[in-house]
Amino acid sequence: MSFPIEESPILEALSSIRNRLTALKRDTVEFLKPQDVVSLYQATVKQVDRLNEIRELSEPHQPNRVDTTLADVFSLLSLFFLAIGRTKECPAIYSQVTSIRQLIDHMRESMVYSEADLKPFQKRLGELREIVQNDAANHPPAMIELLERKLGQCDDLLKEMSGSLSVLSPELVPLHQRLVTMRRQFAALAAKEHSSKADLQKLVDELRKIDSKRVDGKFCVGPGGSSVPPSQAICSSLVEDCFDIAHEIKARGYSINLSEELKPVYERLKEMRAELERLSLTHRWTLRETDLYNYAVELRDIDQMRKDGKWNVGGADGKLGQGQYVLLYLLRRCYGLIYSLLSSSEPVSEELMPVANKLSTIKKVLNEVLRYGGPFHPRELYPYQLALFQIDGMVKDGKFIGKDGSIPEGQGIVMAHLNECHELLEM
């Protein structure tokens, strides 16, 4: 991917920043220092300003290596801001907007979505836009413009997708919602190594029942099925798609049948899904948000292997590989898990997270103990008092102090947990 020679110094500087961020990400011995992250963010913004100055004087450009490298840098920086607990600052939302865009693109491509699927994204984009507006004064215009543009692109796509559903007649909306759910259930069955015959048959029976309501290939409503509402194609295509997946599962003997060239892709996607699902269960204790970067890059590379939405095999002839439904389901599942993990990131730095988790556990246990009533012998409460005493010892002048003398993010949340635990003990 070629780029103008005058952008070479910027590419070199951005590559250096990316390397430093990658090295920082790999260092799991020391806690992240906010000043290191902010310093690299400021260095990146400086390069963005230089890049904008050059491009303002030149002709409209095509995306090149500089843009790709810059996107990598912003993705890493965004994850670092989440890791140090600065979730309400502009850089932190970049990775979330990117993740939303990936999910929206795949939903739009598959045409398997309902209005209920779009609303959570619309709500989240509104929350992210509010963060940008509240924090805009603390960041250069170039950063704000970038985020506003990305948010606007997501909004436009959601409006387009919502518009495509607006043709659905009200009578067909419940049916459409059910067919969307069934389409996902069929895809999930197709992705299993050994699909359950009973589960498949149950879905197929319901699908046939729905299909039997069609008259001359159309869904009818009203007294005696006297009315044929518009937007038949949307529901009919979902029915046919569900039958296609069911036939494929049966044809391959209820087990996964993949082209030999696609088996490594399948194994890696299956492995990533398992790892991300495990992180979803343990993220409060084990996740450093920067860990998600490698998953995001690998998923992007796998996604880019597709041609016209499909994985082809056999080199030049471009033959369609077997196992498309399986790979797409796993890819989209991984994208969804990453978005879920990013959205659940808390405004607490990784240095304070162990304390926040410990207090959260103590609070839950004390609430359970209180449910059984009292009175309690002091000896019974001693373990909790000791645990809180140890945490109290970490507080100086009303704040938790980091190892390097800094004040980590999340003071308000952790102090609120601590005070609540003391109040529960006094009760």
Side-chain angles (χ1 to χ4, degrees), residues 341-369:
L341 286 165
L342 289 172
S343 300
S344 62
S345 182
E346 298 183 51
V348 179
S349 71
E350 64 169 353
E351 191 167 1
L352 275 188
M353 190 56 80
V355 180
N357 289 336
K358 188 173 184 179
L359 286 169
S360 180
T361 303
I362 293 171
K363 187 168 69 173
K364 286 177 184 176
V365 173
L366 286 173
N367 277 316
E368 284 297 312
V369 169

Side-chain angles (χ1 to χ4, degrees), residues 109 183 241 262 302-313 318-321 324-325 327-328:
E109 176 191 320
R183 168 63 173 75
D241 209 6
L262 294 181
I302 290 173
D303 207 349
Q304 289 176 349
M305 291 168 60
R306 298 192 297 153
K307 186 177 180 181
D308 298 326
K310 305 288 184 184
W311 282 276
N312 294 338
V313 296
K319 186 176 68 174
L320 198 65
Q324 300 290 326
Y325 287 123
L327 297 181
L328 270 175

Side-chain angles (χ1 to χ4, degrees), residues 79 82 93-104 107 117-128 158 276 280 287 292 295-296 299 331-345:
L79 295 172
L82 290 174
I93 77 163
Y94 182 93
S95 56
Q96 295 177 68
V97 179
T98 302
S99 183
I100 289 172
R101 176 63 187 269
Q102 288 167 335
L103 287 169
I104 290 174
M107 286 171 63
D117 297 315
L118 304 183
K119 285 180 181 176
F121 290 117
Q122 292 166 337
K123 180 184 176 183
R124 185 57 183 156
L125 287 171
E127 292 169 351
L128 295 177
L158 286 173
L276 289 167
S280 295
L287 177 68
L292 298 176
Y295 293 108
L299 289 172
L331 177 67
R332 290 165 179 167
R333 175 69 177 148
C334 289
Y335 276 143
L337 287 166
I338 286 178
Y339 171 65
S340 177
L341 286 165
L342 289 172
S343 300
S344 62
S345 182

Side-chain angles (χ1 to χ4, degrees), residues 42-334:
Q42 290 171 343
T44 303
V45 167
K46 185 178 177 181
Q47 297 305 318
V48 171
D49 288 338
R50 288 177 63 193
L51 184 62
N52 286 341
E53 288 173 9
I54 291 172
R55 289 182 175 175
E56 281 175 5
L57 302 174
S58 59
E59 297 177 2
H61 81 290
Q62 293 296 320
N64 56 39
R65 278 181 59 197
V66 179
D67 299 280
T68 306
T69 307
L70 184 59
D72 286 344
V73 170
F74 271 130
S75 294
L76 274 167
L77 281 169
S78 181
L79 295 172
F80 272 107
F81 268 78
L82 290 174
I84 62 175
R86 297 192 176 185
T87 60
K88 301 295 184 184
E89 295 188 24
C90 288
I93 77 163
Y94 182 93
S95 56
Q96 295 177 68
V97 179
T98 302
S99 183
I100 289 172
R101 176 63 187 269
Q102 288 167 335
L103 287 169
I104 290 174
D105 282 341
H106 273 273
M107 286 171 63
R108 182 166 167 260
E109 176 191 320
S110 68
M111 290 298 294
V112 181
Y113 59 86
S114 65
E115 197 66 47
D117 297 315
L118 304 183
K119 285 180 181 176
F121 290 117
Q122 292 166 337
K123 180 184 176 183
R124 185 57 183 156
L125 287 171
E127 292 169 351
L128 295 177
R129 179 168 274 109
E130 189 176 340
I131 291 173
V132 173
Q133 291 169 349
N134 293 339
D135 194 42
N138 301 316
H139 300 275
M143 182 68 188
I144 306 305
E145 287 171 18
L146 172 67
L147 293 173
E148 287 286 4
R149 184 167 65 252
K150 282 187 159 292
L151 287 165
Q153 289 168 349
C154 290
D155 281 334
D156 291 343
L157 284 172
L158 286 173
K159 285 175 186 173
E160 178 193 316
M161 292 163 72
S162 183
S164 70
L165 294 176
S166 64
V167 298
L168 267 175
S169 62
E171 298 91 344
L172 288 183
V173 168
L175 173 64
H176 176 259
Q177 178 67 62
R178 181 57 193 148
L179 286 170
V180 166
T181 302
M182 290 179 69
R183 168 63 173 75
R184 289 174 181 156
Q185 291 172 328
F186 274 111
L189 273 178
K192 289 185 177 180
E193 290 191 26
H194 301 286
S195 302
S196 165
K197 290 184 180 181
D199 290 344
L200 179 64
Q201 193 57 50
K202 185 179 177 182
L203 277 174
V204 168
D205 289 345
E206 184 179 355
L207 186 62
R208 284 175 177 157
K209 188 176 179 182
I210 291 171
D211 190 39
S212 67
K213 294 177 181 178
R214 290 199 285 181
V215 179
D216 296 328
K218 297 184 183 299
F219 291 102
C220 299
V221 296
S226 56
S227 173
V228 179
S231 65
Q232 294 286 326
I234 296 177
C235 292
S236 295
S237 65
L238 283 170
V239 171
E240 300 307 323
D241 209 6
C242 288
F243 274 125
D244 286 345
I245 300 175
H247 291 154
E248 182 181 305
I249 294 173
K250 289 180 180 179
R252 70 191 193 200
Y254 297 89
S255 60
I256 288 177
N257 184 21
L258 288 159
S259 299
E260 199 64 35
E261 295 95 325
L262 294 181
K263 284 182 179 178
V265 178
Y266 165 74
E267 291 297 334
R268 184 56 190 137
L269 283 172
K270 187 174 73 167
E271 186 181 345
M272 281 195 283
R273 182 186 65 171
E275 291 170 3
L276 289 167
E277 285 177 340
R278 191 160 53 248
L279 278 175
S280 295
L281 296 174
T282 64
H283 70 275
R284 284 184 62 89
W285 295 271
T286 61
L287 177 68
R288 179 191 261 190
E289 282 80 358
T290 51
D291 296 340
L292 298 176
Y293 177 74
N294 289 344
Y295 293 108
V297 170
E298 198 162 354
L299 289 172
R300 181 187 67 195
D301 292 343
I302 290 173
D303 207 349
Q304 289 176 349
M305 291 168 60
R306 298 192 297 153
K307 186 177 180 181
D308 298 326
K310 305 288 184 184
W311 282 276
N312 294 338
V313 296
D317 64 349
K319 186 176 68 174
L320 198 65
Q322 289 182 316
Q324 300 290 326
Y325 287 123
V326 178
L327 297 181
L328 270 175
Y329 173 81
L330 290 173
L331 177 67
R332 290 165 179 167
R333 175 69 177 148
C334 289

